[in-house]
Amino acid sequence: MMSSAANRFISNEQAIPVIETDIFRGNSDMPLAITRLNTEDVMSGGDPVALAYTQLRANVYINQTGMISPSNRQNDGGERDSDDPRSVHFASLENRGDGRAAVVGAIRLIHKTDASPENLPIEDLFFDPDNGINEIVADTGSFEVSRYISINDNRRRARLTKVAVIGAGLAHAVESKWTPCFAVVEPCVERDLSRTGVPIGRIAEPKLIEKYNDTNVAIEVYLDEYVRRLGKPAVSNMYLQEHGVRFYGK
């Protein structure tokens, strides 16, 4: 059975929001950028880039792949849920020229803290230590990578965007000393992450997740090994402050 993640009910170009923004001003020769969003902007939709980030999520997960219900789309066209307020959000943009940019990549980190101790999604979907099922416990300080998107008909730019959004997210966790790192992904994404060089381990076997209309696995990303492979200076260079921007792809 083909994964729902491989569905293309609409084209990439139909799924990609294009906005007016000055983010490439002064760097008009750069094709791509990654930025860390303000969480309140994500929730309110008041910032054009943050709004387009939520719209990309809706367009990909609702319209393109059918992985979540259309009821998740909000009035402004974006997709948000109860985990967004406790998440750190990143968006990748492609320079379209003339003050326009397309939002082509996304990732968020859902952080479990003393102030937000609710279960991470992976816990409700895969962990049940009380019944002896996957006895891993996501303690305070752990986080889950979620809403990972990279779409572009230009394959090179799509690959570069994957590296950029993963790098920004994991660099944030490393610099903030968050650990461990979990994710719920399709087996095809699990394979792609390994090919990209992200050190991962499967911690739960494939399972049909009705919420995502797909078969998923639970994985852990080994942050210490990620730092060892790339080197601490390279990881630190990928860290972004809030509203920070890094250009890449030239």
Side-chain angles (χ1 to χ4, degrees):
M1 179 179 176
M2 183 175 289
S3 168
S4 295
N7 288 339
R8 289 296 179 270
F9 295 121
I10 62 173
S11 69
N12 285 340
E13 199 58 31
Q14 288 173 304
I16 293 170
V18 179
I19 59 172
E20 293 186 1
T21 174
D22 62 359
I23 198 166
F24 287 98
R25 181 181 296 171
N27 292 277
S28 59
D29 61 328
M30 298 300 294
L32 298 160
I34 179 85
T35 184
R36 178 180 156 197
L37 305 170
N38 174 275
T39 298
E40 291 183 4
D41 289 342
V42 170
M43 298 307 299
S44 69
D47 173 78
V49 177
L51 175 59
Y53 156 84
T54 66
Q55 291 171 338
L56 175 69
R57 286 171 31 172
N59 294 347
V60 169
Y61 284 97
I62 298 172
N63 299 90
Q64 188 175 59
T65 65
M67 293 179 72
I68 62 176
S69 167
S71 64
N72 290 280
R73 186 186 295 277
Q74 300 188 347
N75 291 336
D76 60 9
E79 180 269 323
R80 303 174 186 84
D81 66 18
S82 59
D83 286 315
D84 281 316
R86 60 171 176 161
S87 298
V88 176
H89 305 264
F90 299 86
S92 180
L93 300 94
E94 181 180 50
N95 188 357
R96 293 290 177 90
D98 299 323
R100 296 178 306 120
V103 179
V104 295
I107 202 168
R108 71 174 179 180
L109 314 180
I110 308 170
H111 190 206
K112 188 172 188 178
T113 66
D114 289 332
S116 298
E118 300 83 10
N119 279 357
L120 298 173
I122 194 172
E123 294 180 81
D124 294 329
L125 297 173
F126 282 99
F127 296 177
D128 190 4
D130 291 340
N131 293 311
I133 302 172
N134 203 321
E135 298 184 7
I136 293 173
V137 176
D139 291 323
T140 298
S142 61
F143 70 101
E144 182 169 339
V145 177
S146 172
R147 297 300 191 263
Y148 163 54
I149 299 170
S150 171
I151 57 172
N152 199 313
D153 289 328
N154 181 312
R155 291 185 179 182
R156 177 178 178 274
R157 291 188 177 184
R159 289 195 301 271
L160 289 172
T161 296
K162 287 179 184 179
V163 173
V165 295
I166 292 169
L170 296 187
H172 184 91
V174 170
E175 294 296 312
S176 303
K177 296 181 169 54
W178 296 358
T179 192
C181 172
F182 299 111
V184 175
V185 299
E186 302 78 22
C188 61
V189 175
E190 178 189 36
R191 292 190 296 271
D192 189 60
L193 288 171
S194 291
R195 287 195 296 265
T196 303
V198 179
I200 60 174
R202 182 182 288 189
I203 54 177
E205 293 304 308
K207 173 183 175 182
L208 177 63
I209 305 297
E210 293 185 5
K211 178 180 178 180
Y212 301 147
N213 190 32
D214 208 347
T215 297
N216 285 190
V217 298
I219 64 172
E220 181 176 349
V221 179
Y222 302 122
L223 295 178
D224 288 346
E225 175 62 14
Y226 181 75
V227 173
R228 190 194 69 79
R229 290 183 184 183
L230 271 67
K232 188 62 167 65
V235 174
S236 295
N237 285 339
M238 291 187 289
Y239 175 78
L240 290 169
Q241 299 284 350
E242 192 171 89
H243 297 303
V245 181
R246 182 169 61 85
F247 299 95
Y248 66 98
K250 188 175 179 181

